[in-house]
Amino acid sequence: MVQAETTAGGLAGLRVAVFESRMAGAMAELVGRQGGVPVPAGALREEPLSENPDALAFARGLRAGRFDDVILLTGVGARYLAEAVAAELGPVEWIEALRGVRLIVRGPKPQAVVRDWGLTPAVVAPEPNTWRELLAAIDAAGSVAGRRIAIQEYGQPPTELIEALTARGAVVTRVPVYRWALPDDLIALRQVVRMICKERLGAVALTSAQQVVHLFEIARSMRLESELRRALREAVIVASVGPTTSEALRAAGVEPDLVPDHPKMGHLVATLGRGWRQVQKAGRLGPAAFGASSPAEPTRAAPAQSDRLRESPFLRACRREPSGVTPIWLMRQAGRYMPEYRALRARVGFLELCRTPELAAEVTISAAEQLGVDAAILFADILLILEPLGFDLEFSRGEGPVIHNPVRTAADVDRLRPFDVEALGFVLDAVRLIRGGLRADLPLIGFAGAPFTLACYAIEGGGSRHYDRAKAFMYRDPGAWHALMERLTDATAAYLTAQAEAGAQALQLFDSWVGTLAPADYRDYVQPHLCRLFARLPQTVPAIHFGTGTGSLLELQRDAGGQVIGLDWRVDLDNAWDRLGPDVAVQGNLDPAVLLGPVETVRAQADRILQQAADRPGHIFNLGHGILPGTPVDRVRALVDYVHEASSR
Ligand code: CP3
């Protein structure tokens, strides 16, 4: 640990993560005033225990004289306690009852609250106000043997204190008043975890033990716990407000670099401002540790990074090159089956989510990193492209997508607006943010809907069972049909090209509904457009050509284009690959419903597919279609882990 020196210096643009919730503004201001760039990520939410039977029982006990001592650990907690007992003890009664006991406070904050009540505590723990000082102060005031002590708890139970008092013969009653929960919105916290791991932060300033606990809890859920520990040990300066926070850091395997003499926010930031240059890690901070405040600010891919990407198992498989493991990712890997996604969607509509690059980026990255898959897929929707063409798109609850002004006549096709890819700039921004925030060896897949599937939506006005309107239009007015397909093809080619330019490493074309066509109709009404589309895509990134129900169309799809052909579960992977021949890679093809079954079945079915692929280079494991909404997340993780384990060569 480095003792803070008194030389002036300031933070010189250092990026400092701050985890305050209630005091977020004050903390950010302190960092800013020192010349640092605050990166706020609220780590806590106070959750008052609204129906608190422990508090009410405590109130009754207090009135009946069943306690000798009351220990108040925090100011906020003491105030909440007064509210929580209100049903039993009104404000006057509460203060009267407290007069009958010895009041013990842990520090200046509960002391101030007690003063507000017009009372004086008998015992006040000196700084740094940990349980040790508190215990010493209690001991100094005499033996606690036989004393009946109530402790107002705050979140993490003060286990050591309770044990020490009990060992001295006291009878301890715990009164939990509020506990700390993770904030509802974990986006900022996740981004900060990633920034720490990638050393895109200079320092973290921690002001409570619970912040440390939550930081590591989030990292664990992202599978980045050891990476976080490594970065905090080696690369990012760790400032701790005081002994309790430092203890939590040590419990997590991290030694704080800087601790102020007084456990206060202002002292913490001042100590950081004065002392950070003397911390050994400071010499190794890269330019990314300084600068602008946007947490997900894209970083330019360095050449070393693009090598790591190019050699990733996923991109090697796209090129049909052997690799040490069969890569796996899953269609709809970010979606409603994930509780965090549902929580986010409770606040934000689906289209709004797609149109907010920071949110789309966060959803994309956290799903990929949480699952441990070998590629991320952009969070967006195939139907977004319809809006700039003039369609009025809505995702209504329970009904799926609705297009309020579908194409019904040739004149409707003529009325479509010229496509400008800038209208989908929010998707391209999301691609940039994702590429900047994603692990450097994890490829990002961009995507779009294929013209036929888009045309079905545009004509039907939504989902459909038989595509009768779309097919009727196609047969009735082939000229208008081809005009529509051309418009969709041009727009899609421009859109996918822009995604690759913004930073996607592969492109998937979703022709989800094309399996409804007879092969001859596919050849006449669809294939020429697809040929043109694939020919216009940048040849620098692989294209995945996906459809469902396409068992009778596979050769035609292959001939239309794409380095990788997506297979659904209605075909055997080995037969399908034999039919496609050795010049394409394949992706698939587990039935998504298998993930609703027992984990042994998941493994057995994954084995069958791996055996059919028989270690041929060029197999990307996936489902035959998107993950179903009711799928348990642990089953998805089990599949990913199992495919890696079973295919490791
Ligand atoms: O795979 C991913 O994780 C990336 C995101 C992605 C979404 N949609 C997000 C989404 C992708 C690649 C798509 C493609 C898509 N969208 C297709 C082709 C693939 C397929 O599933 O066949 C199609 C046909 C659509 C159109 C669409 N979008 C429908 C029919 C629906 C409603 C039904 C449903 O499955 O939810 C959507 C909404 C949609 N797209 C959701 C998600 C996560 C759910 C929206 C919500 O949050 O309520």
Side-chain angles (χ1 to χ4, degrees):
M1 206 200 300
V2 173
Q3 283 302 314
E5 295 198 359
T6 40
T7 49
L11 288 166
L14 196 71
R15 284 192 195 182
V16 181
V18 294
F19 303 92
E20 285 290 326
S21 299
R22 250 181 318 128
M23 303 297 284
M27 189 69 183
E29 203 185 313
L30 285 169
V31 170
R33 251 193 264 143
Q34 285 276 336
V37 178
V39 180
L44 306 177
R45 177 167 56 88
E46 257 164 51
E47 208 173 54
L49 303 177
S50 41
E51 284 188 1
N52 190 336
D54 294 315
L56 295 176
F58 161 71
R60 285 190 293 271
L62 192 64
R63 191 166 44 203
R66 285 202 292 270
F67 295 108
D68 303 308
D69 300 332
V70 172
I71 301 181
L72 299 172
L73 289 175
T74 66
V76 184
R79 283 193 208 285
Y80 273 142
L81 181 59
E83 283 172 34
V85 299
E88 287 284 343
L89 295 175
V92 180
E93 278 180 296
W94 165 244
I95 289 165
E96 258 337 286
L98 286 181
R99 279 192 211 285
V101 297
R102 183 168 70 144
L103 278 176
I104 301 169
V105 298
R106 195 179 59 154
K109 287 182 185 165
Q111 187 176 17
V113 173
V114 168
R115 269 206 213 106
D116 282 353
W117 294 338
L119 301 170
T120 313
V123 179
V124 182
E127 284 197 347
N129 326 112
T130 73
W131 68 273
R132 289 197 182 83
E133 287 78 35
L134 182 57
L135 185 64
I138 295 171
D139 281 342
S143 165
V144 293
R147 290 187 81 86
R148 298 159 303 170
I149 306 179
I151 303 187
Q152 165 255 311
E153 286 188 3
Y154 67 110
Q156 302 282 95
T159 323
E160 294 97 336
L161 179 65
I162 294 170
E163 277 168 12
L165 290 172
T166 309
R168 285 160 170 72
V171 182
V172 176
T173 301
R174 299 166 43 184
V175 190
V177 185
Y178 63 90
R179 58 191 158 89
W180 294 113
L182 282 165
D184 288 326
D185 186 345
L186 297 175
I187 288 171
L189 203 52
R190 288 216 183 91
Q191 278 180 344
V192 158
V193 167
R194 269 195 291 279
M195 289 177 80
I196 297 171
C197 293
K198 296 184 148 204
E199 304 174 18
R200 289 200 277 119
L201 268 178
V204 294
L206 292 149
T207 53
S208 80
Q210 196 64 35
Q211 290 172 3
V212 178
V213 172
H214 280 178
L215 189 64
F216 275 86
E217 191 174 321
I218 288 297
R220 202 168 311 125
S221 77
M222 298 165 73
R223 296 180 168 201
L224 287 174
E225 192 186 5
S226 50
E227 191 51 22
L228 177 72
R229 187 175 300 110
R230 181 208 62 80
L232 291 177
R233 277 183 183 159
E234 297 171 9
V236 174
I237 296 168
V238 179
S240 152
V241 77
T244 312
T245 305
S246 300
E247 232 165 74
L249 277 164
R250 288 190 194 106
V254 176
E255 185 61 31
D257 296 303
L258 291 163
V259 186
D261 297 334
H262 299 287
K264 303 233 165 59
M265 267 168 39
H267 290 265
L268 172 68
V269 178
T271 301
L272 183 62
R274 285 195 301 266
W276 71 274
R277 286 173 207 274
Q278 280 101 54
V279 177
Q280 225 184 7
K281 291 167 186 171
R284 293 201 303 268
L285 293 176
F290 300 85
S293 62
S294 160
E297 178 192 278
T299 46
R300 282 226 158 269
Q305 286 186 342
S306 43
D307 279 351
R308 283 170 74 186
L309 272 176
R310 201 172 41 245
E311 296 309 321
S312 63
F314 170 78
L315 287 175
R316 288 187 67 88
C318 289
R319 299 191 300 266
R320 283 173 289 111
E321 293 168 7
S323 73
V325 72
T326 298
I328 172 172
W329 70 277
L330 304 162
M331 288 182 274
R332 289 282 172 98
Q333 64 195 21
R336 276 172 305 187
Y337 78 102
M338 285 188 159
E340 294 111 316
Y341 177 84
R342 291 197 300 272
L344 177 61
R345 278 282 285 104
R347 291 189 293 119
V348 186
F350 176 66
L351 277 177
E352 189 189 341
L353 175 50
C354 292
R355 288 186 192 121
T356 312
E358 292 74 17
L359 291 180
E362 177 52 34
V363 169
T364 304
I365 297 171
S366 71
E369 294 187 349
Q370 237 187 87
L371 297 174
V373 287
D374 297 286
I377 180 159
L378 166 70
F379 188 87
D381 196 85
I382 63 165
L383 302 180
L384 296 177
I385 200 171
L386 295 180
E387 284 190 302
L389 290 169
F391 292 98
D392 180 5
L393 173 65
E394 189 194 356
F395 283 83
S396 56
R397 227 166 234 303
E399 277 178 61
V402 181
I403 288 139
H404 294 290
N405 55 347
V407 167
R408 292 288 150 82
T409 64
D412 293 331
V413 178
D414 293 336
R415 268 198 295 273
L416 293 185
R417 282 199 228 124
F419 179 72
D420 175 5
V421 78
E422 282 313 312
L424 295 171
F426 55 86
V427 175
L428 307 178
D429 285 341
V431 170
R432 290 183 199 103
L433 285 175
I434 297 165
R435 192 57 275 164
L438 204 57
R439 243 172 48 206
D441 60 347
L442 214 51
L444 170 63
I445 304 168
F447 72 89
F452 176 81
T453 296
L454 292 177
C456 283
Y457 273 101
I459 297 168
E460 300 282 343
S464 166
R465 223 175 135 72
H466 300 293
Y467 310 100
D468 36 332
R469 282 180 199 268
K471 286 183 184 178
F473 187 96
M474 182 174 94
Y475 297 127
R476 199 177 56 227
D477 194 342
W481 170 263
H482 285 295
L484 175 62
M485 290 290 279
E486 246 169 59
R487 299 292 301 273
L488 293 169
T489 298
D490 291 343
T492 303
Y495 181 41
L496 285 173
T497 303
Q499 289 182 34
E501 283 167 357
Q505 279 67 51
L507 300 168
Q508 174 154 328
L509 195 70
F510 283 91
D511 215 350
S512 303
W513 310 137
V514 80
T516 185
L517 289 178
D521 285 340
Y522 183 89
R523 203 180 295 115
D524 292 344
Y525 294 101
V526 174
Q527 203 192 30
H529 303 285
L530 286 174
C531 287
R532 206 160 61 82
L533 174 51
F534 280 105
R536 285 175 51 187
L537 295 184
Q539 300 305 301
T540 46
V541 298
I544 306 168
H545 188 172
F546 168 80
T548 68
T550 52
S552 61
L553 303 175
L554 289 177
E555 293 87 349
L556 294 168
Q557 284 186 296
R558 174 203 60 203
D559 294 346
Q563 285 74 27
V564 184
I565 302 295
L567 302 172
D568 79 1
W569 64 93
R570 298 171 185 89
V571 294
D572 283 325
L573 185 133
D574 48 359
N575 290 340
W577 209 348
D578 288 345
R579 280 169 54 196
L580 291 166
D583 296 335
V584 288
V586 297
Q587 175 173 285
N589 71 337
L590 186 70
D591 184 342
V594 169
L595 289 173
L596 303 173
V599 76
E600 306 81 64
T601 311
V602 172
R603 295 204 184 106
Q605 295 245 9
D607 261 334
R608 183 175 48 76
I609 290 169
L610 289 171
Q611 274 159 28
Q612 291 181 349
D615 277 346
R616 271 179 280 187
H619 174 219
I620 298 159
F621 203 105
N622 205 316
L623 304 178
H625 204 166
I627 296 180
L628 297 166
T631 304
V633 179
D634 63 352
R635 221 66 49 90
V636 179
R637 283 216 194 94
L639 172 67
V640 173
D641 291 345
Y642 186 72
V643 167
H644 283 153
E645 187 188 308
S647 71
S648 132
R649 298 177 265 269

